[in-house]
Amino acid sequence: QVQLVESGGGSVQAGGSLRLSCAVSGSTSSVLAMGWFRQSPGKEREGVACISLEGGYTDYLDPAKGRFTISRDPDKNTVYLHMNLLKSEDSGTYYCAASRSPGLYGCSADVYPYWGQGTQVTVSS
């Protein structure tokens, strides 16, 4: 089993920055890719960014391009999401997820069987 714990959410003014962290524990050797997803009230969950843990390849969905950066620290079994130039529409619950597949598959949630509990991000304009 794989356990994921997100942290780093909070409230920030529009234009500000946040760094989300996702600590991975358990059967970490089976995790080959990680992703960040978000969900706002009344909206479907959407992918934000994903990263392969072996090659460090990344993929970003439209909401994140140019503003967010996903990174990993193998020594800490932690994946980060650096978010800059935040907008009110970035508000929502952010989830990290782990995949046993090395491919990024466009950050499709279908390949992520392990999920964290989420961390709340609120951006005020």
Side-chain angles (χ1 to χ4, degrees):
Q1 276 290 353
V2 175
Q3 293 80 42
L4 307 173
V5 178
E6 303 97 334
S7 62
S11 298
V12 65
Q13 295 258 339
S17 301
L18 281 175
R19 187 185 75 166
L20 305 183
S21 300
C22 177
V24 185
S25 61
S27 301
T28 57
S29 62
S30 67
V31 177
L32 299 180
M34 297 285 296
W36 284 98
F37 299 79
R38 70 185 186 187
Q39 187 167 21
S40 303
K43 294 185 178 181
E44 293 187 357
R45 181 179 58 192
E46 62 178 350
V48 176
C50 51
I51 185 169
S52 64
L53 297 188
E54 293 187 339
Y57 302 106
T58 59
D59 196 5
Y60 295 90
L61 281 296
D62 284 344
K65 289 180 179 177
R67 299 187 297 127
F68 296 0
T69 302
I70 188 170
S71 64
R72 74 202 194 285
D73 186 335
D75 293 335
K76 296 183 179 179
N77 287 324
T78 300
V79 173
Y80 303 97
L81 184 67
H82 306 258
M83 305 188 293
N84 298 317
L85 299 175
L86 284 163
K87 307 174 183 179
S88 57
E89 50 263 45
D90 294 319
S91 297
T93 302
Y94 282 70
Y95 301 89
C96 71
S99 172
R100 292 172 291 185
S101 171
L104 297 182
Y105 301 103
C107 304
S108 170
D110 293 342
V111 300
Y112 291 88
Y114 305 108
W115 292 80
Q117 294 298 309
T119 185
Q120 182 67 35
V121 172
T122 302
V123 184
S124 57
S125 56

